[in-house]
Short mmCIF file of all heavy atoms in Angstrom, two decimals:
data_model
loop_
_atom_site.label_atom_id
_atom_site.label_comp_id
_atom_site.label_asym_id
_atom_site.label_seq_id
_atom_site.Cartn_x
_atom_site.Cartn_y
_atom_site.Cartn_z
N TYR I 204 -12.71 32.71 -8.25
CA TYR I 204 -13.93 32.99 -8.83
C TYR I 204 -14.99 33.35 -7.73
O TYR I 204 -16.18 33.45 -8.07
CB TYR I 204 -14.52 31.93 -9.72
CG TYR I 204 -13.63 31.84 -11.01
CD1 TYR I 204 -12.83 30.77 -11.26
CD2 TYR I 204 -13.76 32.88 -11.97
CE1 TYR I 204 -12.08 30.75 -12.45
CE2 TYR I 204 -13.05 32.78 -13.11
CZ TYR I 204 -12.22 31.71 -13.37
OH TYR I 204 -11.45 31.67 -14.54
N ARG I 205 -14.61 33.46 -6.47
CA ARG I 205 -15.43 33.85 -5.40
C ARG I 205 -16.61 32.85 -5.16
O ARG I 205 -17.74 33.30 -4.81
CB ARG I 205 -15.95 35.26 -5.53
CG ARG I 205 -14.86 36.31 -5.34
CD ARG I 205 -15.34 37.63 -5.55
NE ARG I 205 -14.54 38.83 -5.22
CZ ARG I 205 -13.34 39.05 -5.46
NH1 ARG I 205 -12.56 38.05 -5.97
NH2 ARG I 205 -12.67 40.15 -5.18
N ASP I 206 -16.35 31.60 -5.38
CA ASP I 206 -17.37 30.57 -5.14
C ASP I 206 -16.98 29.98 -3.71
O ASP I 206 -16.32 28.91 -3.67
CB ASP I 206 -17.36 29.49 -6.19
CG ASP I 206 -18.52 28.54 -6.03
OD1 ASP I 206 -19.32 28.65 -5.06
OD2 ASP I 206 -18.62 27.59 -6.83
N TRP I 207 -17.36 30.64 -2.66
CA TRP I 207 -16.90 30.28 -1.35
C TRP I 207 -17.36 28.93 -0.85
O TRP I 207 -16.63 28.24 -0.19
CB TRP I 207 -17.37 31.39 -0.32
CG TRP I 207 -16.98 32.75 -0.72
CD1 TRP I 207 -17.78 33.79 -1.11
CD2 TRP I 207 -15.63 33.27 -0.93
NE1 TRP I 207 -17.05 34.85 -1.49
CE2 TRP I 207 -15.74 34.66 -1.38
CE3 TRP I 207 -14.32 32.71 -0.78
CZ2 TRP I 207 -14.56 35.44 -1.62
CZ3 TRP I 207 -13.20 33.51 -1.02
CH2 TRP I 207 -13.35 34.87 -1.45
N LEU I 208 -18.61 28.62 -1.13
CA LEU I 208 -19.13 27.27 -0.71
C LEU I 208 -18.42 26.14 -1.35
O LEU I 208 -17.93 25.19 -0.68
CB LEU I 208 -20.60 27.18 -1.09
CG LEU I 208 -21.31 26.00 -0.56
CD1 LEU I 208 -21.25 25.86 0.97
CD2 LEU I 208 -22.77 25.90 -1.07
N HIS I 209 -18.12 26.24 -2.68
CA HIS I 209 -17.35 25.16 -3.32
C HIS I 209 -15.87 25.14 -2.79
O HIS I 209 -15.34 24.06 -2.71
CB HIS I 209 -17.34 25.42 -4.85
CG HIS I 209 -16.68 24.26 -5.60
ND1 HIS I 209 -17.34 23.17 -5.94
CD2 HIS I 209 -15.42 24.12 -6.04
CE1 HIS I 209 -16.59 22.36 -6.60
NE2 HIS I 209 -15.37 22.89 -6.63
N ALA I 210 -15.34 26.31 -2.58
CA ALA I 210 -13.99 26.34 -2.06
C ALA I 210 -13.86 25.65 -0.62
O ALA I 210 -12.88 24.87 -0.45
CB ALA I 210 -13.47 27.81 -1.94
N ARG I 211 -14.81 25.89 0.21
CA ARG I 211 -14.80 25.23 1.48
C ARG I 211 -14.97 23.77 1.34
O ARG I 211 -14.25 22.96 1.98
CB ARG I 211 -15.91 25.78 2.38
CG ARG I 211 -15.64 27.06 3.05
CD ARG I 211 -16.67 27.52 3.93
NE ARG I 211 -17.25 26.51 4.85
CZ ARG I 211 -18.30 26.67 5.52
NH1 ARG I 211 -18.95 27.77 5.48
NH2 ARG I 211 -18.74 25.67 6.31
N LEU I 212 -15.85 23.34 0.49
CA LEU I 212 -15.97 21.88 0.19
C LEU I 212 -14.70 21.24 -0.34
O LEU I 212 -14.28 20.17 0.08
CB LEU I 212 -17.15 21.62 -0.71
CG LEU I 212 -17.38 20.19 -1.15
CD1 LEU I 212 -17.80 19.39 0.12
CD2 LEU I 212 -18.42 20.14 -2.22
N ALA I 213 -14.11 21.90 -1.28
CA ALA I 213 -12.85 21.42 -1.88
C ALA I 213 -11.74 21.30 -0.85
O ALA I 213 -11.07 20.31 -0.84
CB ALA I 213 -12.36 22.33 -2.99
N PHE I 214 -11.63 22.28 -0.01
CA PHE I 214 -10.54 22.20 1.06
C PHE I 214 -10.88 21.12 2.09
O PHE I 214 -9.97 20.46 2.62
CB PHE I 214 -10.33 23.58 1.75
CG PHE I 214 -9.65 24.53 0.86
CD1 PHE I 214 -10.18 25.77 0.62
CD2 PHE I 214 -8.42 24.25 0.23
CE1 PHE I 214 -9.53 26.64 -0.22
CE2 PHE I 214 -7.77 25.09 -0.60
CZ PHE I 214 -8.37 26.31 -0.81
N MET I 215 -12.15 20.88 2.40
CA MET I 215 -12.52 19.80 3.33
C MET I 215 -12.20 18.44 2.76
O MET I 215 -11.62 17.52 3.36
CB MET I 215 -13.96 19.88 3.73
CG MET I 215 -14.25 20.95 4.71
SD MET I 215 -15.85 20.90 5.40
CE MET I 215 -16.92 21.34 4.01
N VAL I 216 -12.47 18.31 1.40
CA VAL I 216 -12.18 17.02 0.74
C VAL I 216 -10.66 16.82 0.64
O VAL I 216 -10.06 15.77 0.82
CB VAL I 216 -12.85 17.00 -0.67
CG1 VAL I 216 -12.36 15.79 -1.48
CG2 VAL I 216 -14.30 16.99 -0.50
N ALA I 217 -9.92 18.01 0.45
CA ALA I 217 -8.49 17.93 0.37
C ALA I 217 -7.88 17.40 1.70
O ALA I 217 -6.93 16.64 1.72
CB ALA I 217 -7.91 19.28 0.03
N MET I 218 -8.47 17.82 2.85
CA MET I 218 -7.99 17.38 4.10
C MET I 218 -8.26 15.91 4.27
O MET I 218 -7.34 15.16 4.87
CB MET I 218 -8.70 18.12 5.20
CG MET I 218 -8.26 19.60 5.43
SD MET I 218 -8.83 20.37 6.84
CE MET I 218 -10.55 20.71 6.39
N VAL I 219 -9.33 15.37 3.77
CA VAL I 219 -9.60 13.96 3.84
C VAL I 219 -8.56 13.22 3.03
O VAL I 219 -8.01 12.13 3.48
CB VAL I 219 -11.04 13.64 3.37
CG1 VAL I 219 -11.18 12.13 3.24
CG2 VAL I 219 -12.02 14.23 4.31
N PHE I 220 -8.23 13.66 1.82
CA PHE I 220 -7.26 13.06 1.00
C PHE I 220 -5.84 13.07 1.62
O PHE I 220 -5.12 12.09 1.59
CB PHE I 220 -7.17 13.71 -0.39
CG PHE I 220 -8.08 13.10 -1.39
CD1 PHE I 220 -9.47 13.36 -1.39
CD2 PHE I 220 -7.60 12.22 -2.41
CE1 PHE I 220 -10.34 12.79 -2.34
CE2 PHE I 220 -8.44 11.68 -3.33
CZ PHE I 220 -9.81 11.94 -3.26
N PHE I 221 -5.54 14.19 2.30
CA PHE I 221 -4.26 14.31 3.01
C PHE I 221 -4.11 13.28 4.15
O PHE I 221 -3.10 12.65 4.30
CB PHE I 221 -4.00 15.71 3.45
CG PHE I 221 -2.68 15.98 4.01
CD1 PHE I 221 -1.56 16.00 3.22
CD2 PHE I 221 -2.50 16.22 5.33
CE1 PHE I 221 -0.27 16.17 3.66
CE2 PHE I 221 -1.21 16.40 5.85
CZ PHE I 221 -0.13 16.41 5.07
N ALA I 222 -5.26 13.18 4.92
CA ALA I 222 -5.23 12.26 6.00
C ALA I 222 -5.08 10.86 5.53
O ALA I 222 -4.36 10.03 6.08
CB ALA I 222 -6.52 12.38 6.84
N ALA I 223 -5.78 10.51 4.49
CA ALA I 223 -5.68 9.20 3.84
C ALA I 223 -4.24 8.91 3.37
O ALA I 223 -3.71 7.83 3.49
CB ALA I 223 -6.68 9.01 2.71
N ALA I 224 -3.65 9.90 2.74
CA ALA I 224 -2.26 9.76 2.25
C ALA I 224 -1.33 9.48 3.40
O ALA I 224 -0.45 8.63 3.32
CB ALA I 224 -1.79 11.01 1.50
N LEU I 225 -1.46 10.21 4.52
CA LEU I 225 -0.64 9.94 5.65
C LEU I 225 -0.85 8.53 6.27
O LEU I 225 0.16 7.84 6.69
CB LEU I 225 -0.84 11.05 6.75
CG LEU I 225 -0.40 12.43 6.39
CD1 LEU I 225 -0.73 13.36 7.61
CD2 LEU I 225 1.09 12.49 6.07
N PHE I 226 -2.06 8.12 6.27
CA PHE I 226 -2.45 6.82 6.77
C PHE I 226 -1.80 5.66 5.87
O PHE I 226 -1.25 4.79 6.44
CB PHE I 226 -3.96 6.63 6.84
CG PHE I 226 -4.36 5.24 7.22
CD1 PHE I 226 -4.29 4.80 8.54
CD2 PHE I 226 -4.87 4.36 6.22
CE1 PHE I 226 -4.74 3.54 8.92
CE2 PHE I 226 -5.31 3.09 6.63
CZ PHE I 226 -5.17 2.71 7.93
N TYR I 227 -1.99 5.78 4.61
CA TYR I 227 -1.44 4.80 3.71
C TYR I 227 0.07 4.77 3.62
O TYR I 227 0.67 3.82 3.34
CB TYR I 227 -2.10 4.94 2.31
CG TYR I 227 -3.42 4.28 2.25
CD1 TYR I 227 -4.55 5.13 2.14
CD2 TYR I 227 -3.63 2.95 2.33
CE1 TYR I 227 -5.84 4.53 2.08
CE2 TYR I 227 -4.87 2.39 2.25
CZ TYR I 227 -5.95 3.23 2.14
OH TYR I 227 -7.23 2.64 2.17
#
Side-chain angles (χ1 to χ4, degrees):
Y204 288 111
R205 291 179 170 41
D206 187 359
W207 307 114
L208 185 61
H209 186 86
R211 278 182 46 189
L212 176 65
F214 287 127
M215 285 191 290
V216 172
M218 285 189 286
V219 171
F220 270 76
F221 187 69
L225 292 178
F226 174 76
Y227 281 108

